[in-house]
Amino acid sequence: MGDTEDMIVYRLGANCDLDEVEEGKAYLGRVQGFAPFGIFVQLNDRVKGLVHKSNVKAQHEERDPIIVHVLQIRSNGNIDLEEVTPTVYQTQNVTKKTTSVLLSDIGKKIGRTVLIEGEVAQIKQTSGPTIFTIVDESGTANGAAFIEAGVRAYPEVDLGDIVALTGEVMQRNNQLQIEIGSMTVLAPEDTARVRERIDAALDLRAEPVDLPFLVESEVLRALKPQMRKVAKEIRKAVLTARPIVLRHHADADGICAAVAIEQAVTALLRESGGDFDAEYFLFKRSPSKAPFYEIEDITRDLDFALKDNARYGQKMPMILLMDNGSTEEDMPSLKVTRIYGLPVMVVDHHHPDEVVDEYLIGHVNPYHVGGDYGITAGMLGTEIARLVNPAVEDQIRHLPAIAGVGDRSEAPERARYIALAAPEYSEDDCRDIALALDYEQFWLRFSDGREIVKDILNLSGNPERHAKFVDLLVEEANRAIEEQMEAIMPHVESRTLPNGAHLFMLDVELFAHRFTFPPPGKTSGEVHDRLVRERPGEPVVTLGFGPDFAVLRSRGVMMNIPRMVRELHSEIAGGGVSGGGHLVVGSIKFVEGMREPVVASLIQKIGEAPI
Ligand code: MN
């Protein structure tokens, strides 16, 4: 040390102990007390030493600051000090020399003080302490910091910051929690280093296992890379405490797809540490009434996400759309997600429009690989759920059969999934469960009915209640359908079209019960199924219409419903025609005053479609 440099006086941090004290160095201390042979000096609350009276340079009182030089640290831990009185010096802080502990290891450190480096994934202010959820490469844990009841601790720490914190590991209500003693936001270069380390490790941990599919399928095999990608993003969201909002079509297929993922994700959340109720606020499942992501849906989702972000310090969510999300009709909502930077993924089996892809970070769709509607969302969802969390496979392996039956899949995979579900669930059982889901969802409206739906799908570990409940729902649903059919069948009008197809028309507004089950779409579907059964092998189109809408079902007629909608839109000025669907099912909207010309023109187009 050159003469020109100031002497360095060290200030021992609160967590430091003997390990951080070095012979030959000077420290800032405080007089603790007097003895006949000298002065006791505290270097911090844990470390003290003795200045022999021969080494005292000035008069002192208790609590006086004093600078001491460490002469010797004895083997019994006693420290011999000498008072020094430099006139010019620099102080430097000494921090506890700890290597950081992984969050997955804190269970072995209960009662000990640990250093953690990680990302702040949530900041929740309670009426007592502030709870910081920390994520590192190994797991998730909560840290509690307290300054004053209900007052935000460490206001300089923001969501997403990389921090170093020290604190004691405690066990509270069977959960590990760190009582934060100190926390600092890392400097940019340290942030980069830690973030890189965490990201690399998370990337590995998020990688799904390699599993064969439940059934043999060329289409699934071709979709595997995209399915793995979606599974990986879901796992990553769970590992980084990013909320997932799962939107799905509110029918049996959509519900099966979404519940499979729900089972996988909630089980993963339960074992990942963090809050005991994370499975409720980090995963939300919401049915969409329309077969696409409506403006009404994104508006609600965004509203909740922004409030959760402001109120509970949650990250903005990832959005997963199942059994919808892949068509042009989803565009207005997808544009909103981009403004708010919400990552969106789609798992769908409706004919996709390419325009959606620039808004998605993942998109699984059988049409991308030469498959079709027959590989239903419930099949895709169950296979993805196994990749997300293989542990739930036994619970969900019957869901693809229910989905396939519910969505009338005609793909060869349908029979394979039904065989997989047997003998526990026969095809008739699957049909019953699908109907029970449709019926119950009608009354649930916009609610997910998480626990009710688990009972219907026999996921609650109460098979007796499941069986009784499904029986009851099926009985009620069939009674309601019978009533509806009794009322409407006498009003079905029929004609034969130029292409030889039978056209059946029904006014579901005038001749069916409204605001009850079955709703108009299902009512026309039910009528269609009956008419088709009466005319095996013949081409049949059923057109159910209300004042400003029409629903279409066909068998054996090659309609391109999206194209018909586009043509009607441009050909009928002031018709206000919109809608969509695919080759055999679709719905069309128009303005009430133009129903006659729109329906007439629609019928003409159906009559021109190839058989
Ligand atoms: Mn579907």
Side-chain angles (χ1 to χ4, degrees):
M1 196 189 288
D3 293 344
T4 52
E5 283 180 52
D6 295 337
M7 174 178 169
I8 295 173
V9 174
Y10 294 92
R11 185 190 282 118
L12 212 53
N15 299 316
C16 296
D17 52 33
L18 210 54
D19 292 344
E20 281 75 42
V21 181
E22 287 181 46
E23 286 180 3
K25 286 188 172 172
Y27 293 86
L28 222 46
R30 209 171 268 285
V31 175
Q32 189 200 28
F34 302 94
F37 42 87
I39 306 174
F40 288 109
V41 172
Q42 281 187 302
L43 302 188
N44 67 9
D45 285 347
R46 301 168 173 220
V47 182
K48 71 172 177 183
L50 176 74
V51 184
H52 191 265
K53 60 183 178 193
S54 60
N55 289 324
V56 176
K57 303 282 161 62
Q59 281 278 41
H60 295 287
E61 294 190 9
E62 239 172 77
R63 310 290 304 149
D64 268 358
I66 182 171
I67 298 172
V68 290
H69 174 242
V70 177
L71 295 171
Q72 190 188 357
I73 302 172
R74 296 176 190 242
S75 53
N76 62 3
N78 286 352
I79 307 173
D80 294 340
L81 302 169
E82 166 191 32
E83 183 176 7
V84 287
T85 52
T87 47
V88 186
Y89 61 92
Q90 283 184 12
T91 53
Q92 236 175 59
N93 292 331
V94 179
T95 50
K96 175 85 185 146
K97 275 187 284 177
T98 33
T99 46
S100 58
V101 171
L102 290 175
L103 289 173
S104 57
D105 290 336
I106 60 172
K108 298 175 228 155
K109 312 255 176 201
I110 294 168
R112 312 247 309 264
T113 296
V114 293
L115 169 67
I116 301 288
E117 286 178 327
E119 187 192 333
V120 177
Q122 186 183 298
I123 306 170
K124 195 167 163 184
Q125 184 57 51
T126 69
S127 53
T130 310
I131 307 293
F132 293 87
T133 302
I134 309 293
V135 167
D136 73 1
E137 61 267 53
S138 72
T140 304
N142 280 342
F146 186 81
I147 2 170
E148 208 180 301
V151 175
R152 167 77 141 81
Y154 301 102
E156 73 281 8
V157 175
D158 289 323
L159 196 61
D161 279 347
I162 298 281
V163 294
L165 66 87
T166 57
E168 190 178 337
V169 181
M170 315 276 279
Q171 183 131 34
R172 293 230 157 155
N173 309 320
N174 276 330
Q175 272 207 291
L176 293 170
Q177 182 174 295
I178 301 163
E179 301 274 310
I180 298 176
S182 72
M183 178 161 61
T184 45
V185 177
L186 293 184
E189 63 273 17
D190 291 329
T191 290
R193 168 184 58 81
V194 175
R195 195 181 286 285
E196 200 175 309
R197 190 184 77 207
I198 292 177
D199 285 353
L202 277 178
D203 203 62
L204 273 179
R205 284 182 68 212
E207 195 62 51
V209 290
D210 199 14
L211 279 179
F213 292 116
L214 288 170
V215 299
E216 166 56 32
S217 165
E218 217 173 291
V219 178
L220 287 177
R221 216 163 12 193
L223 283 172
K224 196 168 192 178
Q226 271 303 323
M227 292 169 84
R228 287 185 63 84
K229 175 156 204 275
V230 166
K232 183 171 180 174
E233 292 298 334
I234 293 171
R235 286 178 57 82
K236 206 177 268 181
V238 171
L239 297 176
T240 57
R242 182 191 284 281
I244 297 173
V245 172
L246 199 173
R247 276 278 177 188
H248 61 91
H249 187 207
D251 70 354
D253 179 45
I255 294 168
C256 286
V259 168
I261 299 294
E262 177 180 282
Q263 291 294 105
V265 167
T266 52
L268 216 53
L269 281 169
R270 277 194 295 273
E271 54 188 59
S272 76
D275 287 294
F276 69 94
D277 55 352
E279 62 180 293
Y280 296 102
F281 63 84
L282 289 183
F283 181 86
K284 286 193 185 103
R285 178 169 73 77
S286 302
S288 288
K289 282 283 168 196
F292 56 91
Y293 195 28
E294 277 185 290
I295 285 288
E296 190 177 348
D297 299 334
I298 177 67
T299 305
R300 276 163 171 265
D301 293 344
L302 186 62
D303 181 31
F304 282 119
L306 289 170
K307 282 176 185 161
D308 285 349
N309 178 262
R311 188 172 172 198
Y312 300 117
Q314 273 186 25
K315 290 183 178 177
M316 290 297 274
M318 178 173 85
I319 291 175
L320 175 57
L321 305 175
M322 302 191 85
D323 203 18
N324 63 19
S326 62
T327 66
E328 217 172 334
E329 292 168 287
D330 298 280
M331 289 296 288
S333 292
L334 292 177
K335 285 177 180 168
V336 176
T337 65
R338 174 174 286 182
I339 289 176
Y340 282 90
L342 307 176
V344 185
M345 300 199 291
V346 166
V347 175
D348 196 8
H349 66 139
H350 293 92
H351 196 281
D353 294 316
E354 231 174 272
V355 285
V356 299
D357 283 312
E358 65 165 306
Y359 294 87
L360 309 178
I361 61 163
H363 186 179
V364 175
N365 195 312
Y367 285 96
H368 288 157
V369 296
D372 66 15
Y373 195 76
I375 306 288
T376 75
M379 298 175 187
L380 297 168
T382 301
E383 296 290 359
I384 293 170
R386 293 171 63 236
L387 297 175
V388 170
N389 185 357
V392 298
E393 176 175 322
D394 285 349
Q395 300 162 37
I396 60 174
R397 51 197 283 135
H398 60 302
L399 302 190
I402 297 165
V405 171
D407 253 16
R408 303 149 201 273
S409 160
E410 286 169 13
E413 285 82 352
R414 170 191 159 127
R416 293 172 198 157
Y417 280 117
I418 287 174
L420 185 79
E424 260 192 288
Y425 303 91
S426 67
E427 185 164 349
D428 283 343
D429 292 337
C430 292
R431 190 170 294 112
D432 282 352
I433 295 173
L435 178 59
L437 285 174
D438 279 338
Y439 181 68
E440 194 66 351
Q441 186 62 61
F442 180 83
W443 302 113
L444 281 167
R445 293 174 57 83
F446 298 102
S447 302
D448 65 339
R450 191 185 279 196
E451 301 303 323
I452 296 176
V453 167
K454 274 192 210 166
D455 265 340
I456 297 174
L457 289 171
N458 200 11
L459 301 173
S460 341
N462 194 335
E464 208 172 308
R465 190 171 64 189
H466 152 79
K468 277 189 193 161
F469 194 37
V470 169
D471 281 352
L472 176 67
L473 294 174
V474 166
E475 196 184 309
E476 293 295 314
N478 280 330
R479 192 178 48 76
I481 292 168
E482 244 6 274
E483 266 174 32
Q484 196 75 299
M485 291 304 109
E486 234 172 75
I488 204 163
M489 285 307 275
H491 302 286
V492 174
E493 291 174 24
S494 74
R495 68 171 89 161
T496 306
L497 296 174
N499 57 0
H502 296 285
L503 174 70
F504 294 97
M505 288 177 294
L506 53 149
D507 190 321
V508 291
E509 187 81 2
L510 289 182
F511 302 115
H513 301 289
R514 294 157 68 191
F515 313 117
T516 188
F517 185 87
K522 187 161 177 72
T523 298
S524 342
E526 203 54 49
V527 170
H528 177 76
D529 288 346
R530 290 177 187 219
L531 297 169
V532 157
R533 271 201 298 276
E534 289 165 12
R535 289 162 187 77
E538 294 171 38
V540 173
V541 175
T542 307
L543 182 59
F545 50 82
D548 60 352
F549 67 89
V551 287
L552 270 167
R553 294 286 305 271
S554 93
R555 194 215 28 214
V557 183
M558 295 292 109
M559 297 188 297
N560 182 335
I561 296 171
R563 194 177 68 207
M564 290 188 341
V565 168
R566 279 195 298 276
E567 287 173 7
L568 289 171
H569 181 87
S570 62
E571 288 164 13
I572 302 177
V577 178
S578 67
H582 43 101
L583 299 178
V584 295
V585 187
S587 64
I588 297 176
K589 281 192 217 164
F590 39 81
V591 292
E592 191 170 344
M594 293 295 279
R595 178 166 98 165
E596 251 178 76
V598 171
V599 171
S601 184
L602 176 63
I603 292 170
Q604 198 193 333
K605 286 179 194 303
I606 298 169
E608 291 163 0
I611 302 291

